[in-house]
């Protein structure tokens, strides 16, 4: 049980996002962004209650198999490389963020998604749905059991392939912290070639999305493990208290 | 130079075209993982306030309607209280959950949200923000979720006093944030990602 005082605060103004760290809206190497990027500047202002509050999801809403993608579709095991994906959700000062919803989705071991718009030649796995969810514990920790997704081709450049990746959606304690990202796997040579990865300009920001192999968390004779920590937008400390907290 | 000890936020990536697998599997047709999709409705029976339906589309810079957009909305109850433990003003209407996750129809691209009209919410300055829903738009081709707000064209007096709307320098753009009234309790809100009448997006 983590010390509650050391957990991320749930009230107060949000720290402004570093928009040079995140990918820009317009990144022509990723062709779809060309017509889906706003051309006008964002309107910036300090956060309000509308961004500082957000929905809460209890662990009691979770089903027993929600974070086990190997078994949660039919109850029979999916085919592929068995892995644990685990880590911690933290704020900008490294304090754990407990009680937040994490949702993931991914292709199967052959790179095929269970989605009616995916027409890739690799077959579906009848026992793999590809979705999972969990809620972080008091220490901000989470884990999924899944199979490592395959790379797959996509119509961008004439021969573009996505690296192996797992999509990750995370909530914070405020709607303004809402984030969707993708986790990549250490050592994948497709990472450096991917136009979606390369929408991010800063190499160290890209490295933040590459999960290292975590042998200490692997289960011998059962599954490997990868570690993916997630850092949410922080909350600003109020140095001068000239107004009620949170307002 | 001393390096400050703050950790950088995990960078965003696009939700991609298959976002439904993770976030709305039942709407996609992938039943069997969860009993129901999260955020199917932001209110329950008995929610206080005016029932409204907001419909709309998301269009790209070429005028094409997106069929793969996903929108989440977050709103206060009819009294302007957020249904969240970190709203310092007390408890909201227990029949308002406030959060919804809606997807464009796979064929028409139209999305629909059935909810109640939110009340006004105080701004940090002490002024009052006009009734609005916060909206967050993700899709293939969108590298970081786009924050916007849905205001209502029939809240003229409140909109005129809203400190967030007042911040918008190009006044002719404010109308892009106003849901158009199309009938009793019915509104239309178009998100235009790029180009003529481009929707205002925020960094709040």
């Amino acid at each position: 049980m983590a010390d509650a005082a050391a957990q991320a605060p749930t009230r107060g103004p949000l720290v402004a996002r570093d928009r040079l760290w995140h990918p820009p809206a317009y990144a022509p190497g990723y062709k779809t962004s060309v017509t889906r990027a706003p051309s006008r500047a964002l309107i910036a202002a300090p956060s309000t209650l509308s961004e500082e509050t957000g929905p809460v999801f209890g662990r009691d809403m979770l089903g027993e198999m929600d974070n086990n993608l190997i078994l949660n579709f039919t109850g029979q095991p999916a085919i592929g490389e068995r892995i644990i994906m685990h880590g911690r959700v933290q704020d900008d000062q490294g304090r754990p963020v407990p009680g937040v919803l994490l949702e993931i989705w991914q292709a199967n071991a052959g790179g095929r998604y269970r989605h009616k718009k995916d027409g890739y030649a690799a077959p579906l796995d009848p026992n793999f749905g590809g979705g999972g969810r969990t809620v972080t514990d008091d220490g901000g920790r989470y884990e999924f059991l899944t199979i490592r997704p395959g790379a797959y081709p996509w119509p961008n450049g004439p021969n573009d392939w996505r690296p192996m990746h797992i999509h990750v959606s995370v909530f914070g304690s405020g709607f303004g912290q809402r984030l969707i990202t993708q986790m990549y796997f250490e050592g994948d040579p497709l990472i450096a070639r991917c136009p979606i990865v390369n929408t991010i300009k800063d190499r160290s920001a890209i490295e933040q999305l590459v999960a290292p192999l975590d042998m200490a968390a692997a289960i011998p004779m059962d599954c490997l493990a990868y570690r993916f920590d997630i850092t949410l937008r922080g909350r600003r400390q109020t140095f001068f208290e000239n107004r009620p907290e949170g307002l | 130079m001393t390096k400050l000890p703050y950790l950088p936020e995990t960078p965003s990536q696009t939700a991609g075209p298959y976002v439904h697998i993770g976030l709305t599997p039942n709407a996609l047709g992938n039943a069997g993982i969860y009993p129901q999709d999260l955020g199917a409705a932001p209110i329950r029976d008995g929610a206080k306030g005016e029932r409204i339906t907001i419909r709309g589309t998301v269009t790209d810079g070429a005028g094409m309607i997106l069929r793969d957009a996903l929108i989440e909305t977050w709103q206060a109850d009819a009294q302007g209280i957020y249904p969240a433990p970190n709203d310092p003003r007390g408890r909201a209407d227990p029949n308002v959950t406030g959060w919804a996750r809606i997807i464009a129809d796979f064929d028409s691209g139209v999305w629909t949200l059935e909810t109640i009209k939110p009340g006004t919410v105080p701004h940090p300055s002490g002024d009052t923000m006009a009734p609005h829903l916060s909206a967050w738009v993700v899709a293939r081709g969108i590298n970081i979720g786009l924050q916007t707000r849905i205001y209502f064209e029939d809240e003229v007096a409140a909109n005129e006093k809203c400190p967030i709307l007042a911040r918008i320098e190009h006044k002719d753009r404010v109308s892009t944030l106003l849901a158009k009234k199309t009938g009793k309790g019915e509104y239309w809100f178009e998100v235009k990602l790029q180009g003529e009448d481009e929707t205002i997006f925020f960094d709040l």
Side-chain angles (χ1 to χ4, degrees):
Chain A
M1 181 75 82
D3 177 2
Q7 291 177 347
T10 58
R11 286 187 183 177
L14 296 168
V15 172
R17 278 197 154 127
D18 182 351
R19 300 257 171 194
L20 298 174
W21 183 255
H22 286 286
Y26 178 77
Y30 176 24
K31 292 181 180 177
T32 313
S33 78
V34 170
T35 52
R36 295 186 175 194
S39 61
R40 309 288 293 261
L42 302 177
I43 304 292
S47 63
T48 74
L49 269 182
S50 303
E51 294 76 37
E52 293 160 17
T53 61
V56 173
F57 305 90
R59 292 182 70 85
D60 53 358
M61 72 164 198
L62 298 173
E64 198 184 342
M65 287 291 160
D66 280 7
N67 67 339
N68 182 343
L69 285 75
I70 291 180
L71 290 176
N72 75 5
F73 193 52
T74 61
Q76 296 300 309
I79 290 170
E81 188 179 332
R82 296 162 59 85
I83 60 166
I84 291 169
M85 166 188 176
H86 77 120
R88 201 173 78 127
V89 180
Q90 60 197 5
D91 75 352
D92 62 335
Q93 296 184 45
R95 294 172 293 202
V97 185
V100 295
L101 176 66
L102 272 165
E103 295 161 288
I104 65 169
W105 67 100
Q106 61 170 92
N108 69 19
R112 175 74 184 272
Y113 283 95
R114 187 171 288 280
H115 192 289
K116 55 189 172 190
K117 301 287 187 193
D118 187 3
Y120 181 36
L124 287 170
D125 177 342
N127 296 317
F128 190 70
R133 66 185 181 191
T134 191
V135 172
T136 56
D137 70 11
D138 287 342
R141 294 195 44 84
Y142 75 90
E143 61 182 10
F144 291 99
L145 183 61
T146 188
I147 54 96
R148 186 147 86 147
Y152 63 85
W154 59 300
N156 188 65
N159 190 20
D160 277 339
W161 292 73
R162 295 301 326 279
M164 302 176 283
H165 65 276
I166 296 177
H167 295 265
V168 181
S169 165
V170 60
F171 288 76
S173 51
F175 195 56
Q177 294 168 305
R178 195 74 180 83
L179 181 72
I180 282 181
T181 188
Q182 300 182 29
M183 182 194 98
Y184 304 99
F185 292 83
E186 178 185 6
D188 185 345
L190 289 171
I191 294 171
R193 296 171 176 268
C194 176
I196 289 179
V197 172
N198 287 313
T199 59
I200 299 172
K201 301 301 174 214
D202 190 313
R203 180 172 292 275
S204 50
I206 292 173
E207 285 167 5
Q208 204 177 349
L209 299 183
V210 181
L213 178 68
D214 182 357
M215 289 305 290
I219 303 174
M221 304 304 288
D222 187 338
C223 59
L224 283 170
Y226 288 85
R227 166 114 187 182
F228 188 59
D229 290 340
I230 297 164
T231 305
L232 295 179
R233 193 179 165 188
R235 284 183 190 265
R236 196 152 47 77
Q237 195 168 332
T238 308
F239 291 104
F240 300 100
E241 200 70 49
N242 59 358
R243 56 196 172 83
E245 192 194 356
L247 286 178
Chain B
M1 195 169 67
T2 307
K3 192 169 159 49
L4 293 169
Y6 302 109
L7 302 171
E9 188 183 5
T10 296
S12 175
Q13 291 270 265
T14 180
Y18 307 129
V19 61
H20 317 92
I21 294 174
L23 304 191
T24 61
N26 292 293
L28 173 64
N30 289 1
I33 300 178
Y34 313 130
Q36 61 185 39
D37 293 337
L38 289 177
I43 54 168
R44 289 187 276 261
D45 288 345
K48 297 182 183 71
E50 181 194 352
R51 295 292 176 120
I52 58 169
T53 301
I54 309 171
R55 290 188 182 83
T57 53
V58 181
T59 50
D60 72 9
M64 194 184 80
I65 295 172
L66 273 62
R67 267 76 172 176
D68 51 12
L70 181 143
I71 301 174
E72 290 183 7
T73 58
W74 173 241
Q75 67 170 99
D77 70 6
Q79 302 302 312
I81 309 284
Y82 279 102
N86 58 351
D87 186 321
R89 299 165 302 154
R91 282 203 64 197
D93 181 343
N95 291 316
V96 173
T97 58
W99 174 73
R101 179 177 274 169
I102 44 187
I103 57 170
D105 181 86
F106 289 110
D107 297 317
S108 69
V110 175
W111 53 265
T112 303
L113 175 67
E114 293 183 12
T115 185
I116 50 126
K117 199 184 232 189
T120 58
V121 173
H123 183 265
S125 63
D127 294 333
T128 299
M129 296 190 284
H132 67 276
L133 293 82
S134 298
W136 183 73
V137 184
V138 295
R140 174 173 67 103
I142 296 176
N143 292 322
I144 180 165
L146 295 167
Q147 283 177 279
T148 187
R149 287 186 174 193
I150 303 172
Y151 287 85
F152 301 91
E153 69 168 3
D154 51 347
E155 296 285 345
V156 179
N159 290 342
E160 275 176 12
K161 286 186 290 189
C162 179
I164 294 292
L165 294 178
R167 201 167 179 105
I168 296 160
E169 184 186 349
H170 299 101
K171 295 300 171 202
D172 58 330
R173 298 193 65 209
V174 171
S175 65
T176 70
L177 296 177
L178 306 181
K180 309 289 179 283
K181 191 157 189 175
T182 53
K184 187 174 161 32
E186 295 195 352
Y187 295 88
W188 178 259
F189 186 81
E190 238 165 82
V191 178
K192 294 192 172 171
L193 297 176
Q194 184 191 85
E196 200 180 338
D197 297 326
E198 182 176 306
T199 300
I200 286 175
F201 298 104
F202 290 101
D203 188 4
L204 293 171

